[in-house]
Amino acid sequence: ITKLTESACIDTKRVYVSGCSNGGGMSYKAACDAADVIAAAAPVDFDCTTNDTNDPSCGMCAPARGITEVQFRGTSDFAVPYGGGNTPVVAGLTFPGAEANFTTWGELNMCTDSPQALAQHADCQAYETCKDGAETILCTVQNGTHCGNYKSFGIIDIAWEMFEKAALP
């Protein structure tokens, strides 16, 4: 990010991360470790797995501030099971699951409310009252497959809608 600001005109208060599968994992890593330079994250089809056992989800994560996080998960994902469990892709790797991951981010962001459906996106639920004005959101793609849902579900549009509201202080 520092290198980009040297050669391009970017708004450093509005840097966002997103990616699918391992790219989603990298989005979580950036949110955990670089919340001072990342405004928001939109991981797709991955859980936050920052320690050896992945129990709890995101066990080693300590963002410097509340950071908007909107995750997208498919219920028919073979590689990162929606309900959690072992992945057939990497022997011994167990994912906590979308709901557990969502709850963990609600805790990391110190959200004080209960998740509610987003009015404009019925397949998304959100903690909307979180530290530093962050939002914590889980969007579930029914029958969605691993990294196959971008266009049909409108992931890019939903992520951008959330990103537009998020900026560094």
mmCIF file of all heavy atoms in Angstrom, residues 8-60:
data_model
loop_
_atom_site.group_PDB
_atom_site.id
_atom_site.type_symbol
_atom_site.label_atom_id
_atom_site.label_comp_id
_atom_site.label_asym_id
_atom_site.label_seq_id
_atom_site.Cartn_x
_atom_site.Cartn_y
_atom_site.Cartn_z
ATOM 1 N N ALA A 8 0.845 6.198 -7.334
ATOM 2 C CA ALA A 8 -0.529 6.367 -7.801
ATOM 3 C C ALA A 8 -1.293 7.245 -6.812
ATOM 4 O O ALA A 8 -0.948 7.329 -5.640
ATOM 5 C CB ALA A 8 -1.222 5.015 -7.935
ATOM 6 N N CYS A 9 -2.334 7.840 -7.303
ATOM 7 C CA CYS A 9 -3.171 8.683 -6.458
ATOM 8 C C CYS A 9 -4.277 7.810 -5.867
ATOM 9 O O CYS A 9 -5.234 7.453 -6.564
ATOM 10 C CB CYS A 9 -3.771 9.813 -7.293
ATOM 11 S SG CYS A 9 -4.804 10.917 -6.317
ATOM 12 N N ILE A 10 -4.120 7.426 -4.614
ATOM 13 C CA ILE A 10 -5.148 6.623 -3.955
ATOM 14 C C ILE A 10 -5.546 7.276 -2.640
ATOM 15 O O ILE A 10 -4.764 7.994 -2.027
ATOM 16 C CB ILE A 10 -4.694 5.164 -3.704
ATOM 17 C CG1 ILE A 10 -3.537 5.103 -2.704
ATOM 18 C CG2 ILE A 10 -4.307 4.480 -4.993
ATOM 19 C CD1 ILE A 10 -3.227 3.709 -2.232
ATOM 20 N N ASP A 11 -6.766 7.025 -2.233
ATOM 21 C CA ASP A 11 -7.260 7.519 -0.961
ATOM 22 C C ASP A 11 -6.880 6.489 0.096
ATOM 23 O O ASP A 11 -7.479 5.417 0.179
ATOM 24 C CB ASP A 11 -8.783 7.689 -1.033
ATOM 25 C CG ASP A 11 -9.371 8.267 0.238
ATOM 26 O OD1 ASP A 11 -8.673 8.308 1.283
ATOM 27 O OD2 ASP A 11 -10.552 8.650 0.201
ATOM 28 N N THR A 12 -5.888 6.774 0.890
ATOM 29 C CA THR A 12 -5.376 5.808 1.867
ATOM 30 C C THR A 12 -6.363 5.525 2.999
ATOM 31 O O THR A 12 -6.156 4.581 3.753
ATOM 32 C CB THR A 12 -4.034 6.290 2.460
ATOM 33 O OG1 THR A 12 -4.218 7.590 3.044
ATOM 34 C CG2 THR A 12 -2.960 6.334 1.380
ATOM 35 N N LYS A 13 -7.414 6.289 3.097
ATOM 36 C CA LYS A 13 -8.446 6.001 4.096
ATOM 37 C C LYS A 13 -9.489 5.024 3.562
ATOM 38 O O LYS A 13 -10.360 4.575 4.283
ATOM 39 C CB LYS A 13 -9.133 7.286 4.548
ATOM 40 C CG LYS A 13 -8.204 8.199 5.336
ATOM 41 C CD LYS A 13 -8.968 9.352 5.921
ATOM 42 C CE LYS A 13 -8.086 10.275 6.715
ATOM 43 N NZ LYS A 13 -7.614 9.722 7.963
ATOM 44 N N ARG A 14 -9.378 4.666 2.267
ATOM 45 C CA ARG A 14 -10.356 3.792 1.630
ATOM 46 C C ARG A 14 -9.673 2.675 0.845
ATOM 47 O O ARG A 14 -9.876 2.516 -0.347
ATOM 48 C CB ARG A 14 -11.277 4.598 0.721
ATOM 49 C CG ARG A 14 -12.138 5.578 1.488
ATOM 50 C CD ARG A 14 -13.148 6.270 0.586
ATOM 51 N NE ARG A 14 -14.082 7.030 1.361
ATOM 52 C CZ ARG A 14 -15.156 6.543 1.982
ATOM 53 N NH1 ARG A 14 -15.437 5.274 1.916
ATOM 54 N NH2 ARG A 14 -15.954 7.323 2.670
ATOM 55 N N VAL A 15 -8.853 1.903 1.562
ATOM 56 C CA VAL A 15 -8.210 0.728 0.970
ATOM 57 C C VAL A 15 -8.971 -0.493 1.469
ATOM 58 O O VAL A 15 -9.174 -0.655 2.682
ATOM 59 C CB VAL A 15 -6.721 0.648 1.361
ATOM 60 C CG1 VAL A 15 -6.087 -0.627 0.837
ATOM 61 C CG2 VAL A 15 -5.975 1.871 0.846
ATOM 62 N N TYR A 16 -9.397 -1.320 0.541
ATOM 63 C CA TYR A 16 -10.214 -2.489 0.874
ATOM 64 C C TYR A 16 -9.546 -3.760 0.361
ATOM 65 O O TYR A 16 -8.764 -3.717 -0.590
ATOM 66 C CB TYR A 16 -11.600 -2.358 0.230
ATOM 67 C CG TYR A 16 -12.252 -1.026 0.489
ATOM 68 C CD1 TYR A 16 -12.351 -0.075 -0.510
ATOM 69 C CD2 TYR A 16 -12.740 -0.711 1.761
ATOM 70 C CE1 TYR A 16 -12.941 1.163 -0.262
ATOM 71 C CE2 TYR A 16 -13.326 0.524 2.007
ATOM 72 C CZ TYR A 16 -13.422 1.454 0.990
ATOM 73 O OH TYR A 16 -13.998 2.668 1.244
ATOM 74 N N VAL A 17 -9.880 -4.887 0.981
ATOM 75 C CA VAL A 17 -9.347 -6.177 0.538
ATOM 76 C C VAL A 17 -10.489 -7.154 0.320
ATOM 77 O O VAL A 17 -11.494 -7.128 1.027
ATOM 78 C CB VAL A 17 -8.329 -6.768 1.540
ATOM 79 C CG1 VAL A 17 -7.082 -5.905 1.608
ATOM 80 C CG2 VAL A 17 -8.929 -6.936 2.926
ATOM 81 N N SER A 18 -10.311 -8.017 -0.679
ATOM 82 C CA SER A 18 -11.258 -9.080 -0.951
ATOM 83 C C SER A 18 -10.522 -10.168 -1.705
ATOM 84 O O SER A 18 -9.496 -9.921 -2.339
ATOM 85 C CB SER A 18 -12.433 -8.566 -1.786
ATOM 86 O OG SER A 18 -13.393 -9.596 -1.951
ATOM 87 N N GLY A 19 -11.036 -11.360 -1.634
ATOM 88 C CA GLY A 19 -10.476 -12.471 -2.382
ATOM 89 C C GLY A 19 -11.295 -13.708 -2.105
ATOM 90 O O GLY A 19 -12.080 -13.753 -1.156
ATOM 91 N N CYS A 20 -11.126 -14.708 -2.951
ATOM 92 C CA CYS A 20 -11.858 -15.957 -2.799
ATOM 93 C C CYS A 20 -10.895 -17.085 -2.452
ATOM 94 O O CYS A 20 -9.762 -17.111 -2.930
ATOM 95 C CB CYS A 20 -12.606 -16.282 -4.093
ATOM 96 S SG CYS A 20 -13.721 -17.671 -3.851
ATOM 97 N N SER A 21 -11.355 -18.015 -1.631
ATOM 98 C CA SER A 21 -10.576 -19.169 -1.193
ATOM 99 C C SER A 21 -9.355 -18.679 -0.423
ATOM 100 O O SER A 21 -9.514 -17.944 0.544
ATOM 101 C CB SER A 21 -10.224 -20.052 -2.389
ATOM 102 O OG SER A 21 -9.768 -21.319 -1.948
ATOM 103 N N ASN A 22 -8.143 -19.039 -0.842
ATOM 104 C CA ASN A 22 -6.965 -18.554 -0.121
ATOM 105 C C ASN A 22 -6.896 -17.030 -0.134
ATOM 106 O O ASN A 22 -6.379 -16.427 0.803
ATOM 107 C CB ASN A 22 -5.691 -19.141 -0.718
ATOM 108 C CG ASN A 22 -5.440 -20.550 -0.243
ATOM 109 O OD1 ASN A 22 -5.950 -20.973 0.789
ATOM 110 N ND2 ASN A 22 -4.669 -21.295 -1.006
ATOM 111 N N GLY A 23 -7.425 -16.403 -1.186
ATOM 112 C CA GLY A 23 -7.495 -14.943 -1.219
ATOM 113 C C GLY A 23 -8.427 -14.410 -0.136
ATOM 114 O O GLY A 23 -8.203 -13.348 0.432
ATOM 115 N N GLY A 24 -9.486 -15.172 0.168
ATOM 116 C CA GLY A 24 -10.360 -14.817 1.278
ATOM 117 C C GLY A 24 -9.615 -14.925 2.602
ATOM 118 O O GLY A 24 -9.765 -14.078 3.487
ATOM 119 N N GLY A 25 -8.792 -15.970 2.717
ATOM 120 C CA GLY A 25 -7.962 -16.115 3.913
ATOM 121 C C GLY A 25 -7.005 -14.947 4.066
ATOM 122 O O GLY A 25 -6.789 -14.431 5.169
ATOM 123 N N MET A 26 -6.449 -14.502 2.951
ATOM 124 C CA MET A 26 -5.546 -13.352 2.998
ATOM 125 C C MET A 26 -6.305 -12.087 3.379
ATOM 126 O O MET A 26 -5.761 -11.223 4.089
ATOM 127 C CB MET A 26 -4.853 -13.177 1.642
ATOM 128 C CG MET A 26 -3.722 -12.206 1.677
ATOM 129 S SD MET A 26 -2.464 -12.800 2.811
ATOM 130 C CE MET A 26 -1.355 -11.436 2.782
ATOM 131 N N SER A 27 -7.557 -11.980 2.969
ATOM 132 C CA SER A 27 -8.370 -10.835 3.373
ATOM 133 C C SER A 27 -8.546 -10.800 4.888
ATOM 134 O O SER A 27 -8.458 -9.745 5.513
ATOM 135 C CB SER A 27 -9.752 -10.892 2.706
ATOM 136 O OG SER A 27 -9.645 -10.810 1.322
ATOM 137 N N TYR A 28 -8.808 -11.966 5.474
ATOM 138 C CA TYR A 28 -8.904 -12.037 6.936
ATOM 139 C C TYR A 28 -7.585 -11.651 7.585
ATOM 140 O O TYR A 28 -7.557 -10.923 8.583
ATOM 141 C CB TYR A 28 -9.296 -13.447 7.389
ATOM 142 C CG TYR A 28 -10.751 -13.758 7.238
ATOM 143 C CD1 TYR A 28 -11.172 -14.810 6.440
ATOM 144 C CD2 TYR A 28 -11.716 -13.023 7.909
ATOM 145 C CE1 TYR A 28 -12.510 -15.118 6.313
ATOM 146 C CE2 TYR A 28 -13.060 -13.321 7.774
ATOM 147 C CZ TYR A 28 -13.452 -14.369 6.982
ATOM 148 O OH TYR A 28 -14.782 -14.682 6.849
ATOM 149 N N LYS A 29 -6.491 -12.158 7.046
ATOM 150 C CA LYS A 29 -5.165 -11.855 7.604
ATOM 151 C C LYS A 29 -4.924 -10.346 7.588
ATOM 152 O O LYS A 29 -4.447 -9.773 8.573
ATOM 153 C CB LYS A 29 -4.087 -12.591 6.800
ATOM 154 C CG LYS A 29 -2.681 -12.361 7.269
ATOM 155 C CD LYS A 29 -2.410 -13.073 8.564
ATOM 156 C CE LYS A 29 -0.916 -13.012 8.891
ATOM 157 N NZ LYS A 29 -0.670 -13.110 10.309
ATOM 158 N N ALA A 30 -5.264 -9.693 6.481
ATOM 159 C CA ALA A 30 -5.095 -8.237 6.397
ATOM 160 C C ALA A 30 -5.989 -7.533 7.421
ATOM 161 O O ALA A 30 -5.554 -6.588 8.076
ATOM 162 C CB ALA A 30 -5.399 -7.748 4.987
ATOM 163 N N ALA A 31 -7.226 -7.985 7.564
ATOM 164 C CA ALA A 31 -8.138 -7.378 8.541
ATOM 165 C C ALA A 31 -7.614 -7.564 9.967
ATOM 166 O O ALA A 31 -7.697 -6.653 10.793
ATOM 167 C CB ALA A 31 -9.536 -7.964 8.405
ATOM 168 N N CYS A 32 -7.057 -8.722 10.246
ATOM 169 C CA CYS A 32 -6.520 -8.995 11.588
ATOM 170 C C CYS A 32 -5.276 -8.174 11.887
ATOM 171 O O CYS A 32 -5.128 -7.634 12.982
ATOM 172 C CB CYS A 32 -6.172 -10.474 11.725
ATOM 173 S SG CYS A 32 -7.592 -11.580 11.805
ATOM 174 N N ASP A 33 -4.363 -8.116 10.913
ATOM 175 C CA ASP A 33 -3.034 -7.559 11.172
ATOM 176 C C ASP A 33 -2.818 -6.141 10.659
ATOM 177 O O ASP A 33 -1.837 -5.512 11.034
ATOM 178 C CB ASP A 33 -1.966 -8.457 10.536
ATOM 179 C CG ASP A 33 -1.927 -9.843 11.160
ATOM 180 O OD1 ASP A 33 -2.567 -10.061 12.210
ATOM 181 O OD2 ASP A 33 -1.245 -10.715 10.589
ATOM 182 N N ALA A 34 -3.697 -5.659 9.790
ATOM 183 C CA ALA A 34 -3.449 -4.344 9.185
ATOM 184 C C ALA A 34 -4.687 -3.461 9.215
ATOM 185 O O ALA A 34 -4.927 -2.675 8.293
ATOM 186 C CB ALA A 34 -2.941 -4.527 7.751
ATOM 187 N N ALA A 35 -5.482 -3.558 10.273
ATOM 188 C CA ALA A 35 -6.693 -2.742 10.373
ATOM 189 C C ALA A 35 -6.374 -1.252 10.461
ATOM 190 O O ALA A 35 -7.257 -0.426 10.264
ATOM 191 C CB ALA A 35 -7.532 -3.172 11.578
ATOM 192 N N ASP A 36 -5.119 -0.936 10.695
ATOM 193 C CA ASP A 36 -4.727 0.476 10.707
ATOM 194 C C ASP A 36 -4.540 1.041 9.301
ATOM 195 O O ASP A 36 -4.497 2.259 9.125
ATOM 196 C CB ASP A 36 -3.453 0.667 11.528
ATOM 197 C CG ASP A 36 -2.287 -0.178 11.037
ATOM 198 O OD1 ASP A 36 -2.517 -1.275 10.468
ATOM 199 O OD2 ASP A 36 -1.132 0.245 11.225
ATOM 200 N N VAL A 37 -4.455 0.169 8.276
ATOM 201 C CA VAL A 37 -4.307 0.637 6.892
ATOM 202 C C VAL A 37 -5.382 0.087 5.960
ATOM 203 O O VAL A 37 -5.515 0.551 4.835
ATOM 204 C CB VAL A 37 -2.908 0.319 6.307
ATOM 205 C CG1 VAL A 37 -1.828 1.116 7.008
ATOM 206 C CG2 VAL A 37 -2.615 -1.146 6.340
ATOM 207 N N ILE A 38 -6.156 -0.886 6.408
ATOM 208 C CA ILE A 38 -7.238 -1.481 5.628
ATOM 209 C C ILE A 38 -8.562 -0.981 6.205
ATOM 210 O O ILE A 38 -8.818 -1.116 7.396
ATOM 211 C CB ILE A 38 -7.196 -3.025 5.696
ATOM 212 C CG1 ILE A 38 -5.875 -3.569 5.186
ATOM 213 C CG2 ILE A 38 -8.386 -3.636 4.980
ATOM 214 C CD1 ILE A 38 -5.611 -3.335 3.732
ATOM 215 N N ALA A 39 -9.425 -0.436 5.372
ATOM 216 C CA ALA A 39 -10.700 0.106 5.849
ATOM 217 C C ALA A 39 -11.756 -0.975 6.058
ATOM 218 O O ALA A 39 -12.585 -0.875 6.957
ATOM 219 C CB ALA A 39 -11.218 1.168 4.891
ATOM 220 N N ALA A 40 -11.750 -2.025 5.205
ATOM 221 C CA ALA A 40 -12.760 -3.080 5.307
ATOM 222 C C ALA A 40 -12.298 -4.294 4.510
ATOM 223 O O ALA A 40 -11.438 -4.180 3.631
ATOM 224 C CB ALA A 40 -14.103 -2.592 4.778
ATOM 225 N N ALA A 41 -12.912 -5.442 4.813
ATOM 226 C CA ALA A 41 -12.556 -6.693 4.137
ATOM 227 C C ALA A 41 -13.819 -7.423 3.696
ATOM 228 O O ALA A 41 -14.834 -7.395 4.394
ATOM 229 C CB ALA A 41 -11.751 -7.590 5.070
ATOM 230 N N ALA A 42 -13.720 -8.098 2.539
ATOM 231 C CA ALA A 42 -14.830 -8.900 2.021
ATOM 232 C C ALA A 42 -14.299 -10.261 1.571
ATOM 233 O O ALA A 42 -14.114 -10.514 0.389
ATOM 234 C CB ALA A 42 -15.530 -8.184 0.874
ATOM 235 N N PRO A 43 -14.033 -11.163 2.532
ATOM 236 C CA PRO A 43 -13.556 -12.494 2.177
ATOM 237 C C PRO A 43 -14.686 -13.352 1.588
ATOM 238 O O PRO A 43 -15.839 -13.240 1.997
ATOM 239 C CB PRO A 43 -13.087 -13.079 3.504
ATOM 240 C CG PRO A 43 -13.345 -12.057 4.546
ATOM 241 C CD PRO A 43 -14.070 -10.924 3.950
ATOM 242 N N VAL A 44 -14.322 -14.179 0.618
ATOM 243 C CA VAL A 44 -15.287 -15.044 -0.048
ATOM 244 C C VAL A 44 -14.835 -16.494 0.090
ATOM 245 O O VAL A 44 -13.689 -16.835 -0.202
ATOM 246 C CB VAL A 44 -15.412 -14.677 -1.550
ATOM 247 C CG1 VAL A 44 -16.418 -15.581 -2.252
ATOM 248 C CG2 VAL A 44 -15.786 -13.209 -1.720
ATOM 249 N N ASP A 45 -15.754 -17.345 0.548
ATOM 250 C CA ASP A 45 -15.546 -18.793 0.606
ATOM 251 C C ASP A 45 -14.281 -19.202 1.344
ATOM 252 O O ASP A 45 -13.466 -19.997 0.852
ATOM 253 C CB ASP A 45 -15.579 -19.395 -0.811
ATOM 254 C CG ASP A 45 -16.961 -19.265 -1.434
ATOM 255 O OD1 ASP A 45 -17.950 -19.224 -0.679
ATOM 256 O OD2 ASP A 45 -17.056 -19.199 -2.675
ATOM 257 N N PHE A 46 -14.129 -18.675 2.557
ATOM 258 C CA PHE A 46 -13.033 -19.069 3.436
ATOM 259 C C PHE A 46 -13.425 -18.678 4.851
ATOM 260 O O PHE A 46 -14.277 -17.815 5.054
ATOM 261 C CB PHE A 46 -11.737 -18.360 3.033
ATOM 262 C CG PHE A 46 -10.496 -19.164 3.332
ATOM 263 C CD1 PHE A 46 -10.117 -20.190 2.492
ATOM 264 C CD2 PHE A 46 -9.725 -18.902 4.449
ATOM 265 C CE1 PHE A 46 -8.971 -20.947 2.747
ATOM 266 C CE2 PHE A 46 -8.582 -19.637 4.713
ATOM 267 C CZ PHE A 46 -8.204 -20.662 3.864
ATOM 268 N N ASP A 47 -12.817 -19.326 5.834
ATOM 269 C CA ASP A 47 -12.975 -18.944 7.234
ATOM 270 C C ASP A 47 -11.673 -18.332 7.708
ATOM 271 O O ASP A 47 -10.603 -18.615 7.160
ATOM 272 C CB ASP A 47 -13.281 -20.165 8.118
ATOM 273 C CG ASP A 47 -14.697 -20.678 7.958
ATOM 274 O OD1 ASP A 47 -15.581 -19.917 7.551
ATOM 275 O OD2 ASP A 47 -14.912 -21.873 8.251
ATOM 276 N N CYS A 48 -11.747 -17.530 8.746
ATOM 277 C CA CYS A 48 -10.556 -16.958 9.347
ATOM 278 C C CYS A 48 -9.850 -18.067 10.118
ATOM 279 O O CYS A 48 -10.401 -18.615 11.073
ATOM 280 C CB CYS A 48 -10.959 -15.816 10.273
ATOM 281 S SG CYS A 48 -9.554 -14.940 10.956
ATOM 282 N N THR A 49 -8.678 -18.412 9.682
ATOM 283 C CA THR A 49 -7.911 -19.489 10.313
ATOM 284 C C THR A 49 -6.513 -18.983 10.599
ATOM 285 O O THR A 49 -5.642 -19.014 9.740
ATOM 286 C CB THR A 49 -7.843 -20.726 9.401
ATOM 287 O OG1 THR A 49 -7.319 -20.322 8.138
ATOM 288 C CG2 THR A 49 -9.210 -21.339 9.197
ATOM 289 N N THR A 50 -6.293 -18.476 11.815
ATOM 290 C CA THR A 50 -5.027 -17.818 12.100
ATOM 291 C C THR A 50 -4.138 -18.588 13.069
ATOM 292 O O THR A 50 -3.073 -18.115 13.407
ATOM 293 C CB THR A 50 -5.268 -16.412 12.674
ATOM 294 O OG1 THR A 50 -6.053 -16.533 13.858
ATOM 295 C CG2 THR A 50 -5.959 -15.522 11.669
ATOM 296 N N ASN A 51 -4.579 -19.729 13.535
ATOM 297 C CA ASN A 51 -3.698 -20.494 14.412
ATOM 298 C C ASN A 51 -3.654 -21.949 13.964
ATOM 299 O O ASN A 51 -4.340 -22.342 13.023
ATOM 300 C CB ASN A 51 -4.117 -20.358 15.880
ATOM 301 C CG ASN A 51 -5.515 -20.876 16.154
ATOM 302 O OD1 ASN A 51 -6.120 -21.546 15.328
ATOM 303 N ND2 ASN A 51 -6.042 -20.563 17.316
ATOM 304 N N ASP A 52 -2.853 -22.746 14.622
ATOM 305 C CA ASP A 52 -2.627 -24.118 14.174
ATOM 306 C C ASP A 52 -3.868 -24.992 14.213
ATOM 307 O O ASP A 52 -4.036 -25.875 13.385
ATOM 308 C CB ASP A 52 -1.527 -24.777 15.017
ATOM 309 C CG ASP A 52 -0.171 -24.135 14.764
ATOM 310 O OD1 ASP A 52 -0.016 -23.491 13.713
ATOM 311 O OD2 ASP A 52 0.713 -24.284 15.608
ATOM 312 N N THR A 53 -4.740 -24.776 15.166
ATOM 313 C CA THR A 53 -5.895 -25.656 15.311
ATOM 314 C C THR A 53 -7.169 -25.082 14.721
ATOM 315 O O THR A 53 -8.145 -25.786 14.566
ATOM 316 C CB THR A 53 -6.158 -25.962 16.798
ATOM 317 O OG1 THR A 53 -6.522 -24.749 17.456
ATOM 318 C CG2 THR A 53 -4.946 -26.580 17.467
ATOM 319 N N ASN A 54 -7.183 -23.801 14.421
ATOM 320 C CA ASN A 54 -8.373 -23.109 13.927
ATOM 321 C C ASN A 54 -9.514 -23.154 14.943
ATOM 322 O O ASN A 54 -10.670 -23.022 14.585
ATOM 323 C CB ASN A 54 -8.859 -23.677 12.589
ATOM 324 C CG ASN A 54 -7.789 -23.606 11.542
ATOM 325 O OD1 ASN A 54 -6.986 -22.699 11.556
ATOM 326 N ND2 ASN A 54 -7.759 -24.568 10.653
ATOM 327 N N ASP A 55 -9.169 -23.366 16.197
ATOM 328 C CA ASP A 55 -10.171 -23.441 17.247
ATOM 329 C C ASP A 55 -9.738 -22.539 18.391
ATOM 330 O O ASP A 55 -8.785 -22.864 19.085
ATOM 331 C CB ASP A 55 -10.322 -24.869 17.727
ATOM 332 C CG ASP A 55 -11.428 -25.025 18.754
ATOM 333 O OD1 ASP A 55 -12.294 -24.129 18.851
ATOM 334 O OD2 ASP A 55 -11.427 -26.028 19.461
ATOM 335 N N PRO A 56 -10.314 -21.401 18.626
ATOM 336 C CA PRO A 56 -11.487 -20.921 17.901
ATOM 337 C C PRO A 56 -11.104 -20.303 16.562
ATOM 338 O O PRO A 56 -9.935 -20.049 16.304
ATOM 339 C CB PRO A 56 -12.046 -19.849 18.837
ATOM 340 C CG PRO A 56 -10.829 -19.291 19.510
ATOM 341 C CD PRO A 56 -9.906 -20.478 19.673
ATOM 342 N N SER A 57 -12.108 -20.064 15.765
ATOM 343 C CA SER A 57 -11.896 -19.364 14.499
ATOM 344 C C SER A 57 -11.214 -18.037 14.806
ATOM 345 O O SER A 57 -11.611 -17.330 15.721
ATOM 346 C CB SER A 57 -13.244 -19.119 13.828
ATOM 347 O OG SER A 57 -13.124 -18.271 12.722
ATOM 348 N N CYS A 58 -10.175 -17.729 14.092
ATOM 349 C CA CYS A 58 -9.488 -16.448 14.240
ATOM 350 C C CYS A 58 -8.864 -16.265 15.614
ATOM 351 O O CYS A 58 -8.770 -15.156 16.117
ATOM 352 C CB CYS A 58 -10.457 -15.303 13.956
ATOM 353 S SG CYS A 58 -10.066 -14.404 12.472
ATOM 354 N N GLY A 59 -8.437 -17.355 16.229
ATOM 355 C CA GLY A 59 -7.928 -17.317 17.594
ATOM 356 C C GLY A 59 -6.789 -16.361 17.854
ATOM 357 O O GLY A 59 -6.631 -15.890 18.966
ATOM 358 N N MET A 60 -5.965 -16.069 16.870
ATOM 359 C CA MET A 60 -4.827 -15.182 17.072
ATOM 360 C C MET A 60 -5.076 -13.781 16.512
ATOM 361 O O MET A 60 -4.177 -12.964 16.462
ATOM 362 C CB MET A 60 -3.581 -15.775 16.406
ATOM 363 C CG MET A 60 -3.240 -17.185 16.871
ATOM 364 S SD MET A 60 -2.789 -17.285 18.596
ATOM 365 C CE MET A 60 -1.158 -16.624 18.512
#
